[in-house]
Amino acid sequence: MSLIEAFIDQSETCTRMGSPLMGRILGILAQDWDVNTALGQAMAAYTGDVGPVGHSLPLRIGAGLHALVLTRACAELIAAYPPNDVDDAPLRAAIKTALRDHEPFLLEWTKSPPQTNEVRRSGALIAGAHVALSHFDKPLVISELGASGGLNLMWDQFALRIAGTVFGPANAALELTPDWDGPLPPHATAQVLSRAGVDLNPLDPTNADDLLRLTAYLWADQPHRLALTTAAAAAMTTKVKQGDAIDWLETRLENPTQGHLHLIQHTVAWQYFPAEAQARGTKLIEAAGVKATSDTPLAWLSMETDGDKTGAVGAALRLRLWPGDIDLHLGRADFHGRWVNWTHSI
């Protein structure tokens, strides 16, 4: 896939996922991209897939432009971005100005791969954790793999509102309202003893530069996502560790905490682990499950693409519980957490 093809493909994806502005921006970049600039040459130097399953260069550039808006660095882009609503001509002119006048910033910005931390995925985590707690009603120890900034480690501080019913604390840091199809999850009270996460390149949402990186990858015509992310960042109480997820998990599994449910969670992360790491991680978790007791139960909650060939959309929600190796397929969820198709009944 060429960069121009990647711009077009990502433009269509963003439009389909509710961001017509990003669709327009990437469409303009596809039409006007200049390979002879320093930024153009830097992007041309990438080998392999430059699209969404590879280097994701269109999203890097789009986020860099958004960062210029969030930092109030480019007046022309600010005038063309929400809450302003302009047609393609001034938007095109603003993008060209930003690419020309802020090229050093964009060159530095695009060196790093995209990092997102979609807090709306916590809606599925809340529901899945409530199922786990309905089987093993114990205080929680949470371990998150591929946690990025760790915002979804804080799901017990968020409220999930579906069909007029609220799951979560009364004084929640934020409220999630996905389109929900299916029965309601069970009610439970989540008490978290400790939480920790790991990522190869973790971000700290309490750090201004890291929070900018997280928010810049949100799409500018979806301000509700920005509001949720900043609210979740304000609720952060832990920092994500840097390291290999499976090595870290092996250590976490060595000494189960008596009288607690250990919940391993990950959302749209496992799929990026190498096949060997996935196999080793599965073996470690299953081995720990064999050793789990009613006093040291283990739960593995995932929201991941499953390579479904039947045309099913979104990510599969799966929960495995030990002792007993109870394997529950809970339903499917939108990758951005916009909707949940819940199929599990109590």
Side-chain angles (χ1 to χ4, degrees), residues 34-328:
D34 188 350
V35 298
N36 296 314
T37 63
L39 184 61
Q41 290 296 300
M43 297 298 97
Y46 282 84
T47 59
D49 192 339
V50 298
V53 298
H55 297 296
S56 224
L57 298 186
L59 287 181
R60 297 191 196 196
I61 298 165
L65 294 173
H66 192 197
L68 291 172
V69 174
L70 293 173
T71 57
R72 315 298 292 177
C74 181
E76 292 83 1
L77 272 183
I78 293 169
Y81 269 55
N84 304 307
D85 185 12
V86 302
D87 62 26
D88 281 357
L91 180 60
R92 185 185 304 273
I95 292 170
K96 286 185 175 181
T97 298
L99 293 174
R100 182 192 66 229
D101 293 352
H102 298 275
E103 188 172 59
F105 171 83
L106 293 170
L107 279 167
E108 187 62 31
W109 178 276
T110 53
K111 288 179 181 178
S112 300
Q115 280 191 269
T116 58
N117 202 176
E118 180 54 71
V119 72
R120 290 183 297 178
R121 293 174 187 162
S122 278
L125 292 177
I126 292 169
H130 279 216
V131 174
L133 289 167
S134 72
H135 286 260
F136 301 106
D137 184 14
K138 296 182 181 298
L140 289 163
V141 172
I142 303 176
S143 298
E144 183 170 18
L145 311 180
S148 188
L151 297 182
N152 289 314
L153 271 169
M154 306 300 300
W155 59 259
D156 63 302
Q157 301 299 307
F158 310 155
L160 171 64
R161 180 182 293 272
I162 46 179
T165 302
V166 177
F167 300 82
N171 57 341
L174 58 89
E175 186 173 273
L176 302 167
T177 57
D179 292 334
W180 189 275
D181 181 40
L184 297 181
H187 278 279
T189 299
Q191 298 179 344
V192 177
L193 170 71
S194 65
R195 69 189 90 225
V198 66
D199 198 276
L200 281 176
N201 298 291
L203 295 177
D204 178 4
T206 66
N207 174 278
D209 289 338
D210 286 359
L211 184 59
L212 172 64
R213 190 149 199 94
L214 288 175
T215 53
Y217 275 98
L218 304 175
W219 298 332
D221 52 350
Q222 297 182 337
H224 55 289
R225 294 176 69 198
L226 178 60
L228 289 172
T229 298
T230 53
M236 285 297 299
T237 59
T238 189
K239 291 184 179 180
V240 176
K241 301 290 186 182
Q242 191 280 328
D244 176 83
I246 307 307
D247 288 344
W248 177 86
L249 179 63
E250 183 174 23
T251 301
R252 294 279 290 176
L253 290 171
E254 284 177 351
N255 298 302
T257 305
Q258 299 292 318
H260 293 80
L261 170 60
H262 186 178
L263 174 66
I264 302 165
Q265 66 181 47
H266 49 84
T267 65
V268 199
W270 187 268
Q271 63 200 58
Y272 296 113
F273 297 171
E276 347 37 293
Q278 292 181 4
R280 179 174 166 233
T282 299
K283 185 175 180 180
L284 281 171
I285 295 171
E286 290 178 340
V290 170
K291 297 177 182 178
T293 69
S294 59
D295 196 46
T296 59
L298 179 67
W300 181 9
L301 177 60
S302 63
M303 174 185 163
E304 301 285 348
T305 184
D306 54 1
D308 196 294
K309 305 300 183 182
T310 65
V313 297
L317 302 176
R318 186 181 181 189
L319 175 65
R320 292 181 68 179
L321 298 162
W322 292 271
D325 195 2
I326 304 165
D327 193 355
L328 303 175

